[in-house]
Amino acid sequence: RRLESELEDIRGAGTWKNERVIASRQGPHLRLAGGGAGILNFCANNYLGLSSHPEVIRAAVEALEKFGAGLSSVRFICGTQSIHKDLEEKIARFHQREDAILYASCFDANAGIFEALLTPEDAVLSDELNHASIIDGIRLCKANKYRYKHMDMGDLEAKLQDAQKHRLRLVATDGAFSMDGDIAPLREICELAQKYDALVFIDECHATGFLGPNGRGTDELLGVMDKVTIINSTLGKALGGAAGGYTTGPKPLIDLLRQRSRPYLFSNSLPPAVVGCASKALDLLMESNAIAQSMAAKTQRFRSKMTAAGFTISGKDHPICPVMLGDARLAAVMAEDMLNRGIYVIGFSYPVVPKGKARIRVQISAVHSDEDIDRCVEAFTEVGRKHGALP
Ligand code: PLP
């Protein structure tokens, strides 16, 4: 009865999350279960379109056949295959770091790092809008916790000054923030870190593979690859979209995580098919930056056409393009009406985003065609006019 009443509260608050069932592969064009073919998908983190790339799928099948369905073991018992070591080496090379360690997800990588690295003598300084998994990871550690205002360098500096009394300081931020499509001011963060003798940690889930000239991420985009000490990221978005996460950084840190990080020590190895996907995705990205570049051009097309149509798009140059609407009901009915026109987008409102800042989040992929993007903009314009979001 208690659970039923809790569920009722969620429904009553209008924050119930429905799951739409897809009956096809992930991609720019979807078929929904029970009808709805040819739906244009603008809400996946499939930034580079690699989730259903033929070479990625083939690599997964080959790994499955050669290495089996799974390891039935954690890494340190009998769960490490050559492909796990190869992928870790490839990730480190991609990010130009010393070493890397795989996890079942980036959520796990974030859950495991702070507790293993920081003690009650240390301090962690975290952007207030960091992803839930960073927040949870920090909760698990015993370091002194500081939360600075979103991308506010004055506030970060004040907190760094206060944290001078601790042994070690770690600034933790998302490289790109998934709700607003805004990018952390990493140059300024790294300057402050240098001034106050702190390390910098970034979560690159919404950057790895496509931000920066070669898709290395926010640190490459902002020219601070040599100043960011630790990167956590996912294999479940741009890098093939299957699952998995990792930490990459200095070798002693990675060695320590293998000894101490609980989600690594006490959870099964990544399945070979998943390793095969990610490994092939990295090969494709290291061969050429063409896919990353094509995504940037598509993003630019969508952002400029939507702005010209009269919409406000939050963030800058990021394929996460939040169409800011303000009102929660407006965001919900517009998203529903977009689907009636064959465009799959999702409305976000409180408590996922602040009150009064409801939006529809559009995510651009390298595999959207210019026509797909133009169709999306046209549908937004029609639906926006119909519901009073546009004059
Ligand atoms: N960090 C950020 C910023 C994310 O957006 C996500 C996924 O939503 C995660 C971590 C978790 O990644 P994974 O899906 O690999 O657990």
Side-chain angles (χ1 to χ4, degrees):
R1 273 201 304 280
R2 191 179 63 73
L3 296 185
E4 281 304 341
S5 101
E6 206 169 315
L7 292 171
E8 238 356 276
D9 288 348
I10 300 174
R11 283 193 195 93
T15 56
W16 188 268
K17 287 176 275 305
N18 286 306
E19 297 177 4
R20 246 179 218 122
V21 181
I22 296 169
S24 58
R25 286 179 179 176
Q26 183 60 278
H29 304 118
L30 297 177
R31 188 160 46 81
L32 298 181
I39 301 291
L40 261 181
N41 181 14
F42 279 94
C43 51
N45 302 305
N46 183 20
Y47 296 112
L48 299 175
L50 298 181
S51 303
S52 299
H53 190 288
E55 285 189 52
V56 172
I57 294 172
R58 201 172 325 117
V61 171
E62 280 168 17
L64 180 66
E65 283 182 346
K66 186 162 177 202
F67 291 95
L71 272 301
S72 310
S73 169
V74 299
R75 287 285 298 272
F76 79 93
I77 300 181
C78 57
T80 301
Q81 291 169 318
S82 53
I83 45 173
H84 295 93
K85 297 308 285 180
D86 292 347
L87 179 56
E88 286 171 341
E89 183 276 319
K90 213 176 271 185
I91 288 169
R93 192 152 38 89
F94 180 78
H95 285 287
Q96 298 173 23
R97 296 320 202 258
E98 286 176 16
D99 202 356
I101 176 174
L102 290 170
Y103 286 86
S105 67
C106 186
F107 203 109
D108 277 355
N110 286 342
I113 191 159
F114 300 101
E115 190 194 18
L117 177 63
L118 304 173
T119 72
E121 286 182 73
D122 305 318
V124 55
L125 302 97
S126 170
D127 187 295
E128 65 179 344
L129 293 192
N130 275 342
H131 189 260
S133 53
I134 300 179
I135 296 170
D136 285 7
I138 289 174
R139 271 192 197 138
L140 289 170
C141 83
K142 295 198 173 69
N144 298 277
K145 293 153 192 153
Y146 295 82
R147 201 164 62 137
Y148 63 91
K149 293 201 187 86
H150 182 47
M151 304 206 310
D152 182 330
M153 294 301 98
D155 196 32
L156 174 59
E157 181 157 21
K159 304 256 151 76
L160 276 166
Q161 281 164 355
D162 192 43
Q164 288 304 296
K165 54 189 181 251
H166 305 299
R167 182 184 66 169
L168 185 152
R169 286 151 294 287
L170 179 70
V171 180
T173 180
D174 279 8
F177 290 84
S178 61
M179 281 301 138
D180 290 291
D182 49 357
I183 292 168
L186 280 191
R187 249 181 250 138
E188 292 78 358
I189 289 176
C190 289
E191 272 165 26
L192 285 176
Q194 205 159 3
K195 184 167 170 194
Y196 293 99
D197 191 22
L199 300 175
V200 177
F201 160 98
I202 55 176
D203 174 324
E204 287 281 90
C205 283
H206 295 279
T208 300
F210 56 92
L211 284 191
N214 299 296
R216 293 326 189 242
T218 321
D219 57 342
E220 188 195 33
L221 179 75
L222 299 175
V224 290
M225 282 182 89
D226 56 341
K227 299 205 167 62
V228 170
T229 308
I230 308 166
I231 294 174
N232 275 10
S233 193
T234 186
L235 304 171
K237 299 192 197 293
L239 300 185
Y246 58 85
T247 298
T248 184
K251 185 164 184 333
L253 168 70
I254 305 303
D255 287 345
L256 182 77
L257 292 172
R258 288 194 204 281
Q259 302 305 315
R260 291 262 173 81
S261 178
R262 292 166 69 83
Y264 180 80
L265 287 169
F266 299 109
S267 186
N268 211 24
S269 298
L270 271 187
V274 168
V275 175
C277 288
S279 195
K280 177 53 74 177
L282 283 169
D283 288 344
L284 293 172
L285 293 178
M286 287 198 273
E287 270 163 29
S288 152
N289 67 357
I291 315 178
Q293 294 300 329
S294 111
M295 201 230 35
K298 308 271 165 62
T299 298
Q300 197 44 42
R301 185 179 186 94
F302 180 80
R303 283 182 170 269
S304 60
K305 288 201 163 201
M306 284 291 281
T307 307
F311 287 105
T312 302
I313 310 297
S314 170
K316 191 170 160 281
D317 298 337
H318 196 281
I320 292 175
C321 304
V323 182
M324 302 306 287
L325 297 166
D327 182 63
R329 217 188 65 82
L330 179 63
V333 292
M334 275 184 62
E336 202 55 48
D337 226 0
M338 289 291 285
L339 189 62
N340 295 336
R341 287 165 168 76
I343 314 274
Y344 186 7
V345 286
I346 293 282
F348 289 92
S349 54
Y350 182 81
V352 181
V353 295
K355 273 194 179 132
K357 297 224 166 141
R359 68 207 55 189
I360 291 177
R361 187 176 71 171
V362 172
Q363 288 172 282
I364 304 297
S365 168
V367 283
H368 285 129
S369 66
D370 286 351
E371 294 70 42
D372 293 339
I373 288 176
D374 294 351
R375 233 185 93 195
C376 182
V377 174
E378 276 158 30
F380 259 112
T381 309
E382 272 174 41
V383 167
R385 286 208 186 105
K386 176 176 163 193
H387 295 284
L390 287 182

